[in-house]
Every structure is written in structure tokens, then in C-alpha cells.
Amino acid sequence: MMNGKTVIVTGANSGIGRATAAGIVRLQGRVIMACRDMSRAEEAAREIRQETGADSTQLVVKQLDLASLASVHTFCRDIMKEEPRLDVLINNAGIYQCPYTKTEDGFEMQFGVNHLGHFLLTHLLLNLLKRSAPSRIVVVSSKLYKRGLINFEDLNSEQSYDRAFAYSRSKLANLLFTCELARRLEGSGVTVNALTPGIVRTNLGRHVHVPVLAKPLFNLLSRGLFKSPEEGAQTSVFLACSPDVDGVQGKCFADCRPQVLLDKATDQEVASKLWDISEVMVGITT
């Protein structure tokens, strides 16, 4: 149970994020739904309250656009002002294989939202997490990280852009971020672990084109082969609350079990360099 604990879930209005928020509320935790689209978030919150019997104090909606560094700063400023503690931060929100676009700060959208937005968010909330220790950070990655490569010469995909490769790179960046953050958090009372949820039926794939004639077959297959959002959220909820992972640091889980990652996802030299460059990109001065 998570009585008295406050959890932030990014992208909590749909898919795995919504199922994660509902799962934590059912365990009596208090959830702050950090979402870009406030109308969709409020609608999801109403549905979760109806499903779980939660009240408006147990499920709070706040605006957060991870494609805007200004929005991340505003969100974190409000959290630091309003919240006496933060027990778990779940970096869940993500964009998948979108056409080439840039965030308002000029970053390639998938790298900007999936990695840089969460990088800054975590940095700005770290002091509150440390004051609330023992506390946890959960990072949602993807097995597609295996197809990713960190090209420091073209992190912004200005030389070439492949939407699938860009997504895989952002998910590899999530794991390298987890690796470096774990090293920096040793002895702090804050743990960070990542997860790969598997293939889940969500709207994440809205940018992926499926031919009209193939859609009925695709939908039928997805119902049979893909996880439901609730199944996809199980590992997020597990990492947020299970005593089995007390003190576990810098691991990646799938189906609530630790995984062995490819070497490129745990390369300490690359992780450290990516951290330093990410700090410069989001304007962190240390």
C-alpha cells in the first residue's frame, strides 16, 4: 500500500500512464497527473475517480508540456512550492515515431520530449526527492533501445532523420540517463530504475501508418498479441511501490524482473558524456 505517498506520473492521461496512475490510486497513493493536454487529463482523472472511488485530493491534474523547457520549469516551481514531499517520480510520457518536428526550444521532438524534458524535470525535482528519502525515480524506456545509437555529432537529427531510429535513440538515452543518475544518487536514499513495458495497446503508435485494408487484421492481432495498458503498467507500479526493490539502483526491469541490457545501454563513458551535453542543452549550470 502507498498510504501517505505522493507520486508524479508524466503522460498520465492515456495508455500506460493512465493505467499506472489508476494502479497507484488503488494502492491508496496520491497521484499528480502531469499532462500536456489538460482537457484530456481532466477527463481521464474523472474516469479514474469513478473507477477507484478516489477524491480530488488523491488525484491531482497539473499541466506539463515536456516539449517546453519553460513549462517544465513552471511545473517544478509549483511542485516545490506546493508539495511538502515527493516519494516517486515516474518518467512515463513519450512520443513515438512522429514526423520530423522540433520542440519550442529547437530540439528534435522525440529526443526533446522523451529524454531532455524528463532530464530537466528530474533535475529540478531532485532536491525534493532527496528530502523525501527513501524515494524512487522510475524511467519508462523500450526494448527498441537496441536499435538506437547515440551520435553526439547529430543529436538533433539535423543531418538526417529516421523516425524509428530517433525513437530508439531517445529510449537508449533513457537507459544511459538511468545509469548515470544511479551513479550520482549512491548513498542519497533516492533510487532510480528503468523498465521496458513490452508492446502495449496504446495511442503511442498514432504516427505509424497502417494501410486501411490491413487495419481490421492489425486491430484483431493487437488485441490478441499486445498487452493491455493495465498489463503494461504492472512493472511501473511494481517499481514505484514494491519492497522487493528497496535499495535497488540502476537496473532495468521487464515483467517485474531485472533484465540484462546490451553494453551500449550501460556504457559509463557514453552515459557521462550524454549527461554533460544534456545539461548544456537544457541550460543547467553547475
Side-chain angles (χ1 to χ4, degrees):
M1 302 300 283
M2 299 193 72
N3 305 63
K5 294 194 173 180
T6 295
V7 181
I8 291 175
V9 183
T10 66
N13 60 281
S14 65
I16 296 172
R18 183 196 181 286
T20 300
I24 289 167
V25 166
R26 287 192 179 93
L27 294 171
Q28 306 303 311
R30 175 172 171 267
V31 174
I32 298 170
M33 300 171 65
C35 305
R36 181 180 58 83
D37 187 324
M38 287 298 284
S39 62
R40 288 178 61 202
E42 291 287 3
E43 183 183 348
R46 280 194 299 274
E47 291 171 355
I48 294 171
R49 290 186 193 114
Q50 288 173 352
E51 292 166 14
T52 62
D55 60 27
S56 58
T57 62
Q58 197 184 349
L59 195 63
V60 179
V61 174
K62 289 192 72 68
Q63 210 273 337
L64 170 65
D65 182 358
L66 289 159
S68 162
L69 299 183
S71 176
V72 176
H73 277 282
T74 300
F75 174 85
C76 292
R77 207 161 34 238
D78 290 348
I79 292 293
M80 297 296 283
K81 196 184 306 176
E82 298 165 6
E83 300 297 329
R85 62 179 299 110
L86 175 59
D87 298 277
V88 187
L89 169 63
I90 302 180
N91 290 334
N92 166 83
I95 292 180
Y96 179 69
Q97 292 198 22
C98 60
Y100 188 78
T101 45
K102 288 186 175 181
T103 69
E104 71 173 41
D105 303 285
F107 307 127
E108 185 275 311
M109 187 63 74
Q110 294 187 85
F111 191 74
V113 170
N114 298 355
H115 170 60
L116 291 173
H118 282 121
F119 179 88
L120 179 62
L121 177 74
T122 305
H123 169 79
L124 295 174
L125 294 176
L126 211 46
N127 283 339
L128 182 57
L129 284 158
K130 287 177 178 177
R131 290 202 301 271
S132 308
S135 54
R136 302 178 181 187
I137 300 166
V138 178
V139 178
V140 180
S141 183
S142 165
K143 287 181 180 175
L144 290 173
Y145 85 87
K146 295 174 182 178
R147 299 178 187 173
L149 182 69
I150 303 297
N151 176 7
F152 288 111
E153 304 305 312
D154 192 28
L155 285 177
N156 228 18
S157 298
E158 288 173 331
Q159 295 171 24
S160 67
Y161 180 70
D162 177 285
R163 61 177 72 187
F165 172 81
Y167 178 76
S168 294
R169 178 170 59 190
S170 72
K171 295 289 102 179
L172 176 58
N174 289 158
L175 294 174
L176 290 164
F177 165 65
T178 301
C179 175
E180 177 65 10
L181 183 57
R183 187 183 70 80
R184 291 168 178 252
L185 288 175
E186 283 294 342
S188 68
V190 185
T191 60
V192 57
N193 292 287
L195 68 110
T196 58
I199 305 175
V200 183
R201 292 192 305 274
T202 71
N203 66 353
L204 192 65
R206 61 190 177 276
H207 295 296
V208 178
H209 176 68
V210 178
V212 174
L213 292 175
K215 275 191 176 177
L217 178 60
F218 176 80
N219 291 337
L220 184 65
L221 286 172
S222 70
R223 279 197 294 274
L225 300 176
F226 296 178
K227 292 180 179 180
S228 68
E230 289 70 29
E231 290 168 330
Q234 282 179 351
T235 306
S236 295
V237 175
F238 170 79
L239 289 176
C241 69
S242 175
D244 293 349
V245 288
D246 280 344
V248 175
Q249 187 72 282
K251 302 297 183 185
C252 183
F253 288 74
D255 298 319
C256 302
R257 293 191 298 273
Q259 303 295 297
V260 177
L261 295 172
L262 297 181
D263 289 346
K264 66 179 175 181
T266 57
D267 187 317
Q268 198 62 64
E269 187 177 335
V270 175
S272 178
K273 184 175 179 180
L274 178 63
W275 183 285
D276 291 343
I277 290 174
S278 299
E279 282 191 335
V280 173
M281 292 176 85
V282 302
I284 294 172
T285 52
T286 54

